[in-house]
């Protein structure tokens, strides 16, 4: 890091070096399908494996008394370049706003925040695997002395985590705040399962939990907002696929008379 001038004012050339304190094993192997905000898919599981030397159990002492955490992370799959204006999905992918008036992943420093539910703090004297690893994660066999089990996140698998802070509802919950162009949670679509998809869920080792996750993710319509206007898509039924945990979920979207139905056609191992 470049030292500050002697008079104490910051230099415009300061460069900060950040170090990941750990990485997340996530239900989301790919960007497509990740909820656009935390909390929209409460069944989504994640495990934060702290890295050395941050995996000292003393560093998380007292964390088990908290129910929710703020995670500061890096959008490591986003481009290194940025633009001053972006197109938020909530505005249909066509209208632009300033990047700092959005939660876009295309940011100058690619930093993000996620409010997650803390389910369990798992500690061990030596690095070990998690008791319940995330199926299909690249980190399923990872070892650490500290594993934080999380729910309701919006993080891709193997996302680098830069910091952890407890969530304080009395200081940070402001229901009277103005949220601008995103005043409420997005509308949810109807999700139905074909017979073949239902049978695949019955055969899956964690079928009930997986079914809830699929429904929560697809109900938000994960398609990019720029995939044409609703008028242009009337009556269309285009196949899509989204990776969740250890499966590839194939689905169709039917839009008729302003109503959107998402039909899960197949659930295949990946």
């Amino acid at each position: 890091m470049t030292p500050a001038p002697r008079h104490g004012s910051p230099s415009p050339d300061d460069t900060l070096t950040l170090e990941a304190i750990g990485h997340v094993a996530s239900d989301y192997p790919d960007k497509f399908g990740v909820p656009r905000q935390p909390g929209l898919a409460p069944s989504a599981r994640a495990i934060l494996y702290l890295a050395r030397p941050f995996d000292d159990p003393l560093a998380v002492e007292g964390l088990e008394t908290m129910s929710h955490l703020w995670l500061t992370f890096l959008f490591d799959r986003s481009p290194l370049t940025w633009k001053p204006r972006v197109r938020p999905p909530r505005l249909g992918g066509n209208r632009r706003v300033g990047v700092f008036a959005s939660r876009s992943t295309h940011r100058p420093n690619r930093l993000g925040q996620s409010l997650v539910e803390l389910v369990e703090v798992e500690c061990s004297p030596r690095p070990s695997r998690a008791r319940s690893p995330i199926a299909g994660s690249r980190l399923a066999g990872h070892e650490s002395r500290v594993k934080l089990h999380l729910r309701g996140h919006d993080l891709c698998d193997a996302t680098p985590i830069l910091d952890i802070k407890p969530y304080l509802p009395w200081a940070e919950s402001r229901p009277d705040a103005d949220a601008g162009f995103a005043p409420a949670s997005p509308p949810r679509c109807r999700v139905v399962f074909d017979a073949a998809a239902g049978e695949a869920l019955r055969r899956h080792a964690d079928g009930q939990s997986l079914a809830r996750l699929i429904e929560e993710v697809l109900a938000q319509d994960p398609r990019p907002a720029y995939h044409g206007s609703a008028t242009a898509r009337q009556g269309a039924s285009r196949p899509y696929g989204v990776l969740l945990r250890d499966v590839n979920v194939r689905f169709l979207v039917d839009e008729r008379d302003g109503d959107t139905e998402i039909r899960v056609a197949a659930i295949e191992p990946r």
Side-chain angles (χ1 to χ4, degrees), residues 78-216:
S78 294
L80 296 175
T81 57
W82 70 281
K83 295 181 179 179
R85 299 176 75 216
V86 296
R87 299 184 295 178
R90 288 298 293 273
L91 294 177
N94 295 313
R95 291 175 53 193
R96 297 179 184 272
V97 300
V99 65
F100 297 131
S102 79
R103 296 195 178 194
S104 169
T105 62
H106 295 56
R107 317 187 69 80
N109 289 309
R110 301 190 296 162
L111 294 180
Q113 281 186 308
S114 186
L115 179 60
V116 301
E117 179 186 357
L118 176 63
V119 178
E120 179 188 0
V121 178
E122 181 184 349
C123 294
S124 56
R126 297 182 182 85
S128 64
R129 297 185 180 186
R131 287 192 292 268
S132 302
I134 304 295
S137 169
R138 290 189 293 173
L139 302 180
H142 198 65
E143 295 186 347
S144 171
R145 290 184 293 173
V146 175
K147 286 82 65 177
L148 304 183
H149 295 256
L150 313 170
R151 270 201 302 251
H153 64 95
D154 56 346
L155 304 169
C156 286
D157 192 42
T159 291
I161 303 301
L162 303 176
D163 198 12
I164 304 168
K165 288 187 176 69
Y167 170 75
L168 303 178
W170 55 268
E172 296 163 334
S173 177
R174 299 299 301 267
D176 58 333
D178 191 342
F181 60 82
S185 60
R188 300 177 68 84
C189 304
R190 183 170 61 255
V191 179
V192 297
F193 293 82
D194 281 357
E199 179 59 29
L201 287 171
R202 284 189 287 273
R203 294 196 307 265
H204 194 277
D206 196 19
Q208 290 186 343
S209 171
L210 180 59
R212 288 194 300 269
L213 177 63
I214 292 172
E215 186 168 3
E216 291 167 358

Side-chain angles (χ1 to χ4, degrees), residues 212-248:
R212 288 194 300 269
L213 177 63
I214 292 172
E215 186 168 3
E216 291 167 358
V217 169
L218 296 188
Q220 301 165 58
D221 192 352
R223 295 174 298 167
Y226 54 79
H227 271 206
S229 65
T231 301
R233 296 188 304 215
Q234 285 292 318
S237 185
R238 175 179 172 181
Y240 291 87
V242 60
L243 303 180
L244 294 174
R245 294 185 185 165
D246 56 349
V247 298
N248 183 8

